Amino acid sequence: MSGLFGRLSPARRVINGDDLPLFYNDQRCQRDTARVSVTLAELLMSMEDEQNDRSRALDDAVASNFWSSVSSYSVRSSSPFVLSFKDLTYSVKIQKKFKPFSCCGNSHFDGNDMEMNTKVLLNGISGEAREGEMMAVLGASGSGKSTLIDALANRIAKESLHGAITLNGEVLESRLHKVISAYVMQDDLLFPMLTVEETLMFSAEFRLPHSLSKKKKKARVQALIDQLGLRNAAKTVIGDEGHRGVSGGERRRVSIGIDIIHDPIILFLDEPTSGLDSTSAYMVVKVLQRIAQSGSIVIMSIHQPSYRILGLVDKLIFLSRGNTVYSGSPTHLPRFFSEFGHPIPENENKTEFALDLILELEGSPEGTKTLVEYHKQWRAKQTSSQSRRNTNVSLKDAINASISRGKLVSGAANLKSSFQTFANPFWTEMVVIGKRSILNSRRQPELFGIRLGAVLVTGIILATIFWKLDNSPRGIQERLGFFAFAMSTTFYTCAEAIPVFLQERYIFMRETAYNAYRRSSYVLAHTIISIPALIILSASFAATTFWAVGLAGGSESFLFFFLTILAAFWAGSSFVTFLSGVVSHVMIGFTVVVAILAYFLLFSGFFISRDRIPLYWIWFHYLSLVKYPYEGVLQNEFEDPTKCFVRGIQMFDNSPLGQVPAAVKISLLKSMSGVLGINVTAETCVTTGIDILKQQGITEISKWNCLWITVAWGFFFRVLFYFTLLIGSKNKRR
């Protein structure tokens, strides 16, 4: 029995020169039955049994596991999944090029140069893909390969795509489609500072149900690492242009792994071998073959497969400008083109010959019309001469049978009763997203360090320039300038949030496209984990400037000053985060942020008081994010009615009389007292803090209300950010 377990365990075996992990059943069983394979979940059961009990119970579990794999084949053979698509048609409108001088050289100009052309990307594509098989879509650039994959993967809006896509004869609903399928994009969208094992583990925590223990998830990740041939790279970071990491082939296999962690029934891939050398490409496709043999439908687009890769594929679809020119088994290619009148030379790569011939026909006047028509006739003959293998099992029964043998782990707890949209509850998603973001930040401490350094340098510069301001009329103007610059600086230092989401945008879109987590979980998790950093930045800036500048009020005023700085950082980061969800380019984002923040400062009330702002611009004054923290700290500084800022003899400081002797000033005060009927001496208080607030037009909102409004702005922009993600990340063609 131990020998049997050795054959069931994941092992590296060299097949056709490829060192890849394979999951084998007993050799005799493989000779007697076709494509009997143990799924990842079945392997996981064996691993857990081995860890929990290494005695006789282990042998019983392994024997049960072995016979369950044989019975799973009987289930699969009687009720396989069949993904059928018929007459898929998709077209887009393209605007004609505008020719401004066409009327000068063409007497038939009728003003229709701006009309829309319709380009057909898919033209009546039909076919089917079965469980255990791997289908490849081939064609030259622009033939419609990626479009067909997107259509089958539910990445084209229903109102734009015509035709029928069914699974086991039933229309595949969008919600169910996301649960039972996965889509691997052409680009490897991964976090560069996470290791291979960490990347797959986070994917497991997203896609596997909360009811599955941490131990089982880890065991599943380890089994998947072996299946993907990533054991030697498990502890290596993914890497990017600035950090050395895994190879291109390993990176591609990690991209596949994060989407198959839940063992989906259908797997779509957009050119998984793009940019890889022949050996790496073969290894990737070999992994896909293992996935198909475990009971999945694998459909991929591929540009130009090698001879070895062609031997792994079960079905081919050749496209030319949105039309099918061949569909069927690779073994039928020679006979098809031979009967068409273009036999494939014996020693030539079949797919290369077919692609070259298609490209040659596309350049001819008639195009590939003759080949398309011949293919329709040839397929009609093939269909009539072969009995169609139809499944009579309902889709729900087939899914339940698949779950019972270990497939579709993310829904195994719930799919039998109802199809759950997400594998985990809301709070679990938030915890996992938060853990991943914190880990990424810890691996790149220089990012926060630079921002903290910028805040500290700014605070030190302000502290030294505005050192110990006095309560003279000149001191009043300097305090106003300090507050205006300090409040605007807090917003400008938040601009670093723009590249943060822009770097994660496509990772976020990939993960949410197939319900790895909720968009609301992403927004709330990133909101919560950003707060500690904002507290550190606010405390650093407040401590650096408050005492050095000599602001009034003591510890209570310092606390309010700190809270206002924190609220300004919060509102600024929320505003910039919202803009990063709207714009799609870093430089555009920085330009927009800098411009809008400049307008906020202009209308804040520092350069021109509220009473002097024209009525047609007053609305912008109330929308200014700088207005509320600026007015709050001014009230915090000047709210004491007993504190005097301008005395009698200081009235002349900001006038031409400021340079005259003090005796002359006192004489002038006596003359003014006689005229006004009020005794104005050199020490008489002329202007208090309340008077300064009135001069600045700050009389409507209390300082605490200014603080709450600033905080509310932050929440408002976070909500807008959520709706931006909800509307702008559908990731579907129109």
Side-chain angles (χ1 to χ4, degrees):
M1 192 61 71
S2 61
L4 174 60
F5 181 75
R7 287 192 293 271
L8 276 169
S9 301
R12 290 187 175 274
R13 311 201 180 188
V14 179
I15 298 221
N16 295 331
D18 181 27
D19 185 13
L20 285 175
L22 302 174
F23 303 130
Y24 280 105
N25 293 312
D26 188 84
Q27 299 292 339
R28 291 169 297 177
C29 178
Q30 283 198 336
R31 287 196 296 267
D32 296 336
T33 59
R35 286 184 178 170
V36 181
S37 61
V38 181
T39 65
L40 257 179
E42 292 167 338
L43 174 65
L44 181 58
M45 296 175 197
S46 299
M47 293 175 64
E48 290 170 354
D49 289 339
E50 181 183 15
Q51 293 170 356
N52 295 333
D53 194 346
R54 298 180 181 276
S55 60
R56 180 176 57 84
L58 171 65
D59 294 337
D60 295 338
V62 173
S64 174
N65 213 17
F66 170 74
W67 292 113
S68 68
S69 68
V70 177
S71 64
S72 73
Y73 170 74
S74 62
V75 173
R76 182 156 57 248
S77 61
S78 61
S79 59
F81 289 100
V82 180
L83 180 68
S84 301
F85 48 98
K86 184 177 181 182
D87 295 331
L88 293 184
T89 302
Y90 173 61
S91 59
V92 295
K93 292 184 177 181
I94 302 177
Q95 186 173 332
K96 291 181 180 180
K97 291 183 179 180
F98 178 63
K99 300 177 182 179
F101 301 107
S102 58
C103 58
C104 299
N106 185 1
S107 60
H108 299 287
F109 173 74
D110 56 3
N112 292 327
D113 289 81
M114 293 301 291
E115 288 183 355
M116 306 294 285
N117 277 338
T118 299
K119 182 178 181 180
V120 178
L121 301 181
L122 297 177
N123 187 17
I125 308 297
S126 300
E128 69 175 25
R130 291 180 171 270
E131 176 187 327
E133 295 181 345
M134 184 162 54
M135 172 186 285
V137 184
L138 293 87
S141 298
S143 61
K145 302 188 302 295
S146 297
T147 305
L148 178 58
I149 297 295
D150 286 347
L152 297 177
N154 191 35
R155 291 166 61 87
I156 297 179
K158 289 185 177 180
E159 59 269 17
S160 302
L161 180 67
H162 303 283
I165 301 176
T166 60
L167 185 62
N168 285 19
E170 300 181 25
V171 176
L172 198 54
E173 297 179 359
S174 178
R175 182 184 174 191
L176 175 60
H177 201 299
K178 292 182 178 182
V179 175
I180 68 173
S181 65
Y183 181 92
V184 180
M185 297 181 178
Q186 184 174 348
D187 299 322
D188 298 321
L189 304 174
L190 305 168
F191 287 100
M193 299 311 297
L194 298 181
T195 66
V196 169
E197 186 175 5
E198 289 169 344
T199 301
L200 294 175
M201 192 63 208
F202 279 120
S203 179
E205 293 188 29
F206 283 132
R207 300 306 300 263
L208 304 185
H210 181 65
S211 58
L212 205 63
S213 67
K214 187 86 170 180
K215 182 179 179 181
K216 292 180 180 180
K217 291 178 181 178
K218 287 183 177 179
R220 186 171 187 80
V221 168
Q222 296 303 319
L224 184 59
I225 288 174
D226 287 329
Q227 186 189 30
L228 296 172
L230 294 169
R231 177 55 58 192
N232 293 332
K235 302 297 183 181
T236 306
V237 297
I238 300 298
D240 57 9
E241 295 82 359
H243 303 85
R244 187 175 179 84
V246 297
S247 66
E250 290 169 334
R251 190 192 306 265
R252 187 58 48 85
R253 278 177 272 159
V254 174
S255 296
I256 295 172
I258 60 179
D259 284 309
I260 67 168
I261 190 69
H262 62 303
D263 214 358
I265 293 173
I266 311 173
L267 178 62
F268 301 99
L269 305 101
D270 186 12
E271 299 202 21
T273 61
S274 176
L276 302 180
D277 59 77
S278 59
T279 301
S280 298
Y282 177 77
M283 293 175 68
V284 168
V285 179
K286 191 73 174 177
V287 168
L288 297 178
Q289 186 189 49
R290 300 292 178 268
I291 296 170
Q293 291 177 347
S294 70
S296 296
I297 300 173
V298 177
I299 303 177
M300 65 176 177
S301 63
I302 188 168
H303 185 66
Q304 197 167 4
S306 65
Y307 180 81
R308 291 196 302 167
I309 291 178
L310 189 63
L312 304 177
V313 177
D314 299 289
K315 286 184 179 180
L316 295 176
I317 294 182
F318 280 87
L319 297 180
S320 172
R321 296 178 179 174
N323 294 285
T324 306
V325 293
Y326 176 80
S327 62
S329 171
T331 58
H332 295 159
L333 265 177
R335 183 161 64 92
F336 174 80
F337 283 102
S338 177
E339 294 178 0
F340 181 63
H342 293 78
I344 302 177
E346 184 176 350
N347 296 324
E348 188 164 348
N349 185 297
K350 301 174 186 177
T351 56
E352 289 183 1
F353 175 87
L355 291 172
D356 290 343
L357 177 61
I358 293 170
L359 187 61
E360 181 182 343
L361 292 175
E362 287 179 348
S364 65
E366 294 186 0
T368 57
K369 183 178 179 180
T370 55
L371 184 58
V372 171
E373 294 300 324
Y374 175 75
H375 169 260
K376 292 180 180 179
Q377 300 173 7
W378 190 81
R379 285 300 300 168
K381 293 179 182 178
Q382 295 292 317
T383 303
S384 61
S385 61
Q386 297 177 0
S387 59
R388 296 184 60 84
R389 299 172 295 168
N390 294 320
T391 177
N392 296 321
V393 180
S394 69
L395 178 57
K396 188 172 183 179
D397 291 341
I399 292 176
N400 289 335
S402 185
I403 292 173
S404 66
R405 65 175 190 267
K407 295 285 291 181
L408 207 64
V409 180
S410 64
N414 301 309
L415 267 173
K416 291 185 179 181
S417 57
S418 62
F419 298 112
Q420 298 296 318
T421 305
F422 298 95
N424 290 288
F426 179 82
W427 64 269
T428 301
E429 296 173 352
M430 288 182 56
V431 170
V432 177
I433 294 171
K435 283 170 52 181
R436 185 175 67 177
S437 297
I438 293 173
L439 184 59
N440 268 309
S441 300
R442 287 174 53 193
R443 298 271 170 85
Q444 303 177 84
E446 65 276 7
L447 298 181
F448 178 73
I450 291 173
R451 189 180 182 191
L452 178 60
V455 170
L456 286 174
V457 168
T458 303
I460 292 172
I461 292 175
L462 289 176
T464 53
I465 290 179
F466 297 96
W467 179 264
K468 297 298 182 182
L469 296 179
D470 55 29
N471 294 332
S472 65
R474 180 176 298 177
I476 295 174
Q477 296 302 319
E478 291 171 348
R479 288 172 192 269
L480 294 177
F482 166 76
F483 287 129
F485 189 86
M487 294 304 105
S488 61
T489 298
T490 58
F491 287 96
Y492 278 108
T493 54
C494 294
E496 58 84 31
I498 292 178
V500 171
F501 177 70
L502 290 180
Q503 291 174 352
E504 296 184 15
R505 173 191 290 272
Y506 295 104
I507 298 178
F508 166 83
M509 293 175 66
R510 184 204 68 209
E511 291 176 334
T512 55
Y514 285 83
N515 295 346
Y517 49 79
R518 298 166 180 82
R519 293 170 178 84
S520 55
S521 302
Y522 180 87
V523 173
L524 283 176
H526 279 270
T527 298
I528 293 173
I529 64 174
S530 68
I531 292 177
L534 298 181
I535 293 176
I536 295 174
L537 295 174
S538 304
S540 302
F541 186 81
T544 305
T545 58
F546 186 87
W547 308 109
V549 174
L551 301 182
S555 57
E556 290 185 4
S557 291
F558 172 78
L559 177 61
F560 182 84
F561 182 73
F562 160 71
L563 292 176
T564 302
I565 296 294
L566 177 59
F569 271 120
W570 158 250
S573 64
S574 299
F575 172 69
V576 173
T577 301
F578 160 67
L579 284 183
S580 68
V582 176
V583 300
S584 58
H585 194 277
V586 174
M587 293 308 300
I588 296 176
F590 278 118
T591 302
V592 173
V593 166
V594 170
I596 295 179
L597 290 180
Y599 301 148
F600 284 161
L601 179 60
L602 175 63
F603 289 96
S604 64
F606 170 70
F607 292 103
I608 182 171
S609 65
R610 174 174 54 84
D611 299 334
R612 299 280 295 169
I613 297 177
L615 290 177
Y616 48 84
W617 281 118
I618 196 66
W619 60 272
F620 210 125
H621 171 72
Y622 290 101
L623 291 179
S624 172
L625 293 182
V626 180
K627 161 187 165 64
Y628 300 100
Y630 174 67
E631 291 187 359
V633 292
L634 281 186
Q635 293 184 67
N636 189 54
E637 181 69 14
F638 298 114
E639 66 180 351
D640 187 359
T642 63
K643 189 171 184 179
C644 187
F645 287 90
V646 179
R647 298 190 180 276
I649 199 169
Q650 295 174 325
M651 292 174 56
F652 308 103
D653 287 357
N654 291 331
S655 69
L657 298 176
Q659 303 299 322
V660 301
V664 176
K665 294 179 181 178
I666 294 175
S667 176
L668 289 172
L669 289 176
K670 290 180 179 179
S671 300
M672 292 174 59
S673 299
V675 174
L676 297 175
I678 301 174
N679 185 24
V680 181
T681 66
E683 298 300 321
T684 301
C685 184
V686 178
T687 303
T688 64
I690 302 299
D691 296 324
I692 296 173
L693 294 178
K694 291 179 180 178
Q695 292 172 9
Q696 296 297 314
I698 303 173
T699 57
E700 292 183 328
I701 308 173
S702 68
K703 70 175 187 179
W704 287 104
N705 284 339
C706 288
L707 176 65
W708 302 134
I709 291 174
T710 306
V711 173
W713 271 120
F715 282 106
F716 174 72
F717 283 116
R718 293 285 173 172
V719 173
L720 285 185
F721 178 57
Y722 166 72
F723 284 107
T724 300
L725 299 184
L726 194 64
I727 298 172
S729 61
K730 295 297 184 181
N731 207 19
K732 283 191 176 186
R733 300 195 194 186
R734 292 290 176 184

